Amino acid sequence: MRIYLLETARLGLRTWLASDLDPFAEMNQDPRVMEFFPRTFTYEESKKGIDTFNQHYEEHGFTYYAVDRLDSSDFIGFIGIKHQTFDSHFTPCIDIGWRLAVDAWGKGFATEGAKACLDHAFRQLNLSEIYSTTPLLNTPSKRVMQKIGMQFAGEFDHPKIPVDSPLNRCCLYKAGRSDYM
């Protein structure tokens, strides 16, 4: 039986297991999942991602959590919060993010899990603000940001995405503890 750190009506959020690597790597190699990233990730990059997420959890008590459907125990991706330190006017910050396998799209899972993460961040972790970013082209993620109550806070050029890429220009959303509670 898996131990979940956060649960919603349909999702269990937890730390990462070795058994998550293959489905996570498969998801990260799917061009549909990675449409709003400069490229898909290799198996080794996915492994490094899991190691980074687990290390972040050990150091901070939160991370981008592995997510299972409670009705099937199937791993469907990640949702969570994590420190971001890339060079920008709003960093360092704590970011909320998600990435789900295609089979999990269109069911409200990202919104459901992200709401639980925001609630946890503000009520249990006492964080003061959470940011979220995505390329301007990523309408589905912008919709999730809006549905979870985040407010548009501007646009910026992402320093980790090539300047000539259509993914370089990103939007920034923000949620403050005082606004959320």
Side-chain angles (χ1 to χ4, degrees), residues 112-149:
E112 183 176 324
K115 281 181 180 178
C117 288
L118 274 185
D119 185 69
H120 180 71
F122 293 138
R123 294 182 192 273
Q124 279 76 42
L125 301 175
N126 293 316
L127 299 174
S128 61
E129 56 189 16
I130 305 289
Y131 289 86
S132 192
T133 67
T134 195
L136 292 179
L137 300 174
N138 190 348
T139 302
S141 277
K142 287 190 288 188
R143 273 195 229 116
V144 172
M145 293 171 195
Q146 294 160 358
K147 286 179 184 177
I148 64 174

Side-chain angles (χ1 to χ4, degrees), residues 23 45 54 88 118:
E45 288 169 324
N54 279 333
S88 188
L118 274 185

Side-chain angles (χ1 to χ4, degrees), residues 28-90:
N28 288 334
Q29 291 169 359
D30 186 331
R32 297 167 297 173
V33 172
M34 302 302 284
E35 177 183 1
F36 299 107
F37 288 83
R39 59 180 179 75
T40 59
F41 292 170
T42 66
Y43 190 87
E44 278 305 311
E45 288 169 324
S46 293
K47 183 180 183 319
K48 184 178 177 186
I50 289 174
D51 293 343
T52 299
F53 299 155
N54 279 333
Q55 180 179 356
H56 191 278
Y57 181 77
E58 288 176 22
E59 291 175 9
H60 302 286
F62 58 86
T63 192
Y64 291 151
Y65 301 106
V67 178
D68 295 331
R69 288 183 60 151
L70 292 176
D71 63 351
S72 65
S73 297
D74 290 341
F75 168 86
I76 61 167
F78 74 74
I79 304 170
I81 57 175
K82 186 175 174 293
H83 285 92
Q84 294 295 334
T85 58
F86 59 83
D87 186 26
S88 188
H89 70 282
F90 60 92

Side-chain angles (χ1 to χ4, degrees), residues 16 20-28 46 50 53 75 78:
W16 293 77
D20 297 324
L21 178 55
D22 286 345
F24 185 56
E26 183 179 328
M27 185 180 88
N28 288 334
S46 293
I50 289 174
F53 299 155
F75 168 86
F78 74 74

